[in-house]
């Protein structure tokens, strides 16, 4: 955060407040006065890079595999961030370097989660999503502490970039998804990865290509067309669109269901990014402000996991959206009164709590709605569209700091309300088997009741007849071995 003298057009010069920062890219390149929007634009360039990269790497994850996309993403992220250090003197080159570094940012989060979801049992999916979100939150809490210590943006970039290399030091522990390999007809590699899992878990079973072929003898490899395949039916298109809108709002039979996913994601993305940026605009220690807003994600993720397994993913989102909308309205009436500063801060934390709950639920639900052949592509579609609208997040914060502090919360309230309505039309995924094919995804959620708590619909099939050993079949029975 850089503060400069409030002279008209900075005609009398400016000075930097170095209470908390020794040097940032803003102070080094003097992005102040008539270049104040450089900071806001830089953040938007980051989001735009994430949009482009997600569009490309998301589809590559369903085409080439989750594993190679993950490793290539590590290299791209490190190179882009280091390039920013050497290009800050020329704004547009710096912006392009920043965009390049963000191309694979979401892929690094997405690929391991997709693999984990595809190899675990259905009742463990929420727990796995929770553990990854805990890792995300831990990073959000450590990051400001690092900057607080080094006080300079260059060592901060270096320190926070190179730990990514740890992910490349243990490649044998980053397996490819057996579910995806089987879906693509790569039975030999599928057997090899399943054998790795069996060995790690000390399960005495011999996994062979012949066994996998026998178990999947009725499977036919589908021909898919990337993102376009997500709109091959009304139900699939509706799920996608509604979820994207809800995601955007909190961060900023079925063409109906894919539209729902779209809308949820859009709402979530725009609000989340705006609130993260707004934390740096609050009075007091900017690092502690950021940490406090990050700490709230820990209980929020736990609450999201608990509620998601009790009342379902859909009602968890709706309840969080409604709570956030009501809280935003209250903040509008209090935020300008200094006598209620403490109460206002507490209410903002409540909003952040609700946003984190929604983020957890929407991530989990997205993984459970899309079919294996398009799981990473579907997740990427949500991110692409939501982040395009999420570009507006910095400008919402700009409205509040430049014109009226109530404007961001007015916008948040409207978006939260519309997100809650939209999320209500999503299908429930708690207790449902992961769809494998486009045909299954096109029927997903059909016939579900609008009201009432969800019930498990996982079907365990044990009717595969083969000459293979019965114990091996039981251990590798697909619905048991995978979600």
């Amino acid at each position: 955060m850089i503060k400069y003298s409030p002279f008209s057009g900075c005609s009398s010069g400016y000075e930097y407040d170095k209470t908390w920062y020794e040097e940032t890219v803003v102070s080094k390149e003097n992005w102040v006065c008539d270049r104040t929007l450089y900071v806001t634009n830089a953040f938007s360039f980051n989001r735009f890079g994430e949009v482009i990269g997600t569009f490309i790497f998301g589809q590559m994850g369903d085409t080439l595999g989750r594993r190679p996309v993950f490793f290539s993403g590590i290299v791209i992220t490190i190179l882009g961030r280091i390039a920013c250090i050497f290009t800050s003197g020329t704004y547009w080159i710096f912006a392009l370097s920043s965009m390049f570094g963000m191309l694979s940012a979401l892929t690094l989060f997405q690929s391991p989660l997709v693999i984990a979801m595809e190899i675990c049992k259905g009742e463990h999916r929420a727990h796995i999503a929770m553990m990854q979100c805990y890792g995300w939150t831990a990073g959000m809490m450590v990051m400001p502490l690092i900057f607080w210590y080094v006080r300079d943006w260059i060592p901060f970039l270096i320190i926070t970039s190179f730990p990514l290399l740890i992910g490349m030091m243990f490649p044998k522990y980053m397996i490819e998804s057996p579910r995806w390999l089987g879906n693509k007809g790569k039975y030999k590699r599928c057997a090899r990865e399943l054998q790795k899992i069996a060995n790690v878990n000390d399960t005495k079973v011999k996994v062979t290509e012949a066994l996998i072929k026998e178990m999947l003898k009725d499977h036919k490899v589908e021909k898919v067309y990337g993102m376009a395949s997500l709109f091959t039916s009304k139900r699939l298109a509706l799920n996608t669109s509604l979820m994207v809108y809800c995601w955007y709002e909190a961060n900023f039979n079925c063409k109906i269901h894919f539209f729902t996913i779209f809308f949820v994601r859009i709402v979530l993305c725009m609000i989340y990014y705006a609130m993260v940026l707004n934390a740096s605009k609050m009075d007091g220690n900017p690092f502690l402000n950021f940490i406090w807003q990050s700490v709230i994600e820990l209980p929020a993720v736990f609450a999201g996991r608990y509620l998601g397994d009790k009342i379902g993913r859909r009602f968890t989102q709706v309840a969080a959206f409604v709570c956030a909308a009501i809280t935003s309205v209250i903040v509008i009436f209090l935020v300008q009164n200094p006598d209620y500063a403490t109460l206002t801060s507490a209410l903002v934390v409540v909003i952040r709590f609700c946003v984190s709950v929604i983020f957890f639920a929407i991530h989990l639900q997205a993984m459970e709605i899309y079919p294996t052949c398009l799981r990473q592509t579907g997740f990427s579609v949500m991110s692409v569209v939501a982040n395009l609208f999420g570009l507006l997040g910095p400008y919402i914060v700009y409205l509040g700091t430049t014109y009226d502090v109530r404007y961001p919360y007015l916008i948040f309230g409207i978006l939260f309300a519309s997100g809650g309505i939209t999320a209500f039309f999503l299908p429930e995924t708690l207790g449902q088997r992961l769809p494998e094919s486009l045909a299954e995804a096109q029927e997903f959620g059909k016939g579900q009741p609008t009201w009432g708590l969800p019930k498990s619909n996982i079907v365990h099939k044990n009717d595969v007849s083969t000459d293979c050993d019965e114990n091996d079949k039981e251990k590798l029975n697909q619905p048991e071995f995978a979600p």
Side-chain angles (χ1 to χ4, degrees), residues 356-377:
S356 298
V357 170
I358 300 166
F359 240 127
F360 174 82
I362 198 70
H363 270 90
L364 181 58
Q365 196 167 26
M367 293 294 177
E368 295 173 327
I369 281 181
Y370 295 116
T372 299
C373 57
L374 286 170
R375 185 158 291 122
Q376 201 155 346
T377 298

Side-chain angles (χ1 to χ4, degrees), residues 372-441:
T372 299
C373 57
L374 286 170
R375 185 158 291 122
Q376 201 155 346
T377 298
F379 197 89
S380 298
V381 168
M382 294 185 355
S383 301
V384 166
V385 178
N387 276 302
L388 282 174
F389 285 93
L391 295 174
L392 299 175
Y395 301 100
I396 292 177
V397 175
Y398 183 76
L399 283 176
T401 56
T402 305
Y403 297 100
D404 193 318
V405 71
R406 294 173 297 180
Y407 286 169
Y409 297 100
L410 174 62
I411 297 172
F412 292 166
I414 295 173
L415 291 175
F416 280 134
S418 61
I421 295 172
T422 304
F424 184 77
F425 293 98
L426 279 169
E428 181 54 62
T429 60
L430 174 62
Q432 306 296 311
R433 291 185 62 246
L434 294 181
E436 297 290 347
S437 63
L438 274 175
E440 290 182 11

